[in-house]
Structures are given as structure tokens and as C-alpha cells.
Amino acid sequence: MTDELLVVHAQLGERAALAELVARWRVPVWRYVRRMLDADRADDVAQEIWLAVVRGLPRLREPARFTPWLFAIARRSVVDRLRTEYAREQATLVRDEPSVDDPVEAMVARAELVAALTSLPVLEREILVLHYLEDLSVQDCAQICRVPVGTVKSRLNRARRLLREHLNGKEYRS
């Protein structure tokens, strides 16, 4: 049975159809989230995603667009988690930041920390994951990320360049 038919059956209240959708998409969704977050956070966010899917599925107007809709929910959940954690980190940094005599040294230390946390910027990493690893079209990526197709293409281009520079051992500019 296709995803579209499963969505329609699930919207009509068939639990088996919903279970089949979850079984079919659980691993791809978790894999996407895992590539954006670490394993512990990925498990939590994946649960939040499926809860949002169950709640929102009755309102999905285009069952044929289930995959982009699902990944849009996943993206929103990942972004919300990252925003929350970033705000928490910023509050901690401001509160706990020691006075540093050499601002250049502090900047270098912070840059090394950022580089250790992620090898690519989130926006570029996200597009790479959706397009290449989740095998979604450029148009689907644009819909999920709520950006024009041209923006997706430029982010893909930049992500490939940054990844190539990183793999070749060169430092890249964010």
C-alpha cells in the first residue's frame, strides 16, 4: 500500500495504517534527526516528531505530500531543540564567562569549540542530509525548509564546497 493510501486510512481511524506509516518512516526520520543531533537528543526529538504526526495527521490535506510534511515536522522539531539549547548555552556563557585578558585567544578557543561541535553549518548540513541522505528532491527540500529552490541549490553548492575543504584539511569560512 502506498503512503498516500496509508495516510487516508489512518485519517479514517485505522490504527493498523498508522502503525504501518510509523514502521515505514521511523528509521528514516530517526536517521535524519540523528544526523542533526547526537543520539540521546535524537531519541527524544524523534518521539516528539511522532507525537506531532499523530496529532496533525487528521489535518493533512494532501496525503500525497506526506513525506515532505513529515520531514517539515522533523525539521521544525530539530530547529526548536537547537534554538532552546543555543539560548540556554548563551545564557550560561554570559553568566559564567570569565574575564579574558586576550580577546584573540578567547576567540580562537571559541572557534575551536564550534569546529569540534559540528563540521558544517546547520543550514548546509540540513540540506545535505535531506537531499543526499534522505533522498529528497530539491523541491521537497525547499518546501521542508521553507526557502526557494534557488536557496536550496546554493546551500547544496556551499555545503559540498565546505565539506570538500574540510575533508582536504583546509579551514573553511562560515
Side-chain angles (χ1 to χ4, degrees):
M1 193 177 302
T2 66
D3 287 345
E4 183 176 5
L5 284 174
L6 286 172
V7 168
V8 171
H9 286 275
Q11 287 175 327
L12 294 173
E14 291 183 25
R15 290 179 184 229
L18 179 61
E20 175 65 26
L21 277 173
V22 172
R24 193 176 285 185
W25 287 99
R26 183 182 55 80
V27 172
V29 166
W30 186 87
R31 192 173 48 229
Y32 164 73
V33 174
R34 175 61 182 96
R35 288 176 175 143
M36 300 303 292
L37 303 169
D38 62 47
D40 292 335
R41 295 185 299 172
D43 289 339
D44 291 342
V45 171
Q47 287 179 4
E48 294 168 13
I49 292 165
W50 288 110
L51 183 60
V53 167
V54 169
R55 287 180 178 161
L57 196 60
R59 294 185 306 277
L60 178 61
R61 292 186 182 166
E62 295 182 57
R65 303 294 299 157
F66 175 75
T67 301
W69 177 78
L70 173 63
F71 278 96
I73 291 172
R75 177 185 187 269
R76 204 172 320 117
S77 297
V78 167
V79 168
D80 288 348
R81 177 61 63 99
L82 290 172
R83 274 192 195 124
T84 301
E85 291 174 0
Y86 179 77
R88 198 175 305 131
E89 284 178 18
Q90 292 305 309
T92 302
L93 284 175
V94 168
R95 188 178 60 238
D96 297 340
E97 192 162 336
S99 60
V100 177
D101 294 333
D102 187 2
V104 173
E105 187 176 313
M107 190 169 54
V108 169
R110 190 169 287 152
E112 290 172 353
L113 177 62
V114 169
L117 293 175
T118 181
S119 64
L120 292 175
V122 172
L123 294 175
E124 285 77 7
R125 180 175 22 150
E126 174 181 51
I127 293 295
L128 276 177
V129 168
L130 288 171
H131 185 68
Y132 288 111
L133 303 177
E134 297 305 329
D135 223 14
L136 295 174
S137 70
V138 169
Q139 291 76 18
D140 286 346
C141 291
Q143 182 182 358
I144 290 166
C145 296
R146 296 182 182 173
V147 297
V149 169
T151 302
V152 171
K153 290 178 181 178
S154 67
R155 285 182 185 170
L156 276 171
N157 186 37
R158 183 167 189 262
R160 287 188 295 257
R161 180 180 51 81
L162 293 174
L163 189 59
R164 189 170 33 254
E165 288 175 4
H166 181 75
L167 292 173
N168 289 332
K170 298 177 184 174
E171 290 194 22
Y172 56 85
R173 297 167 299 282
S174 293

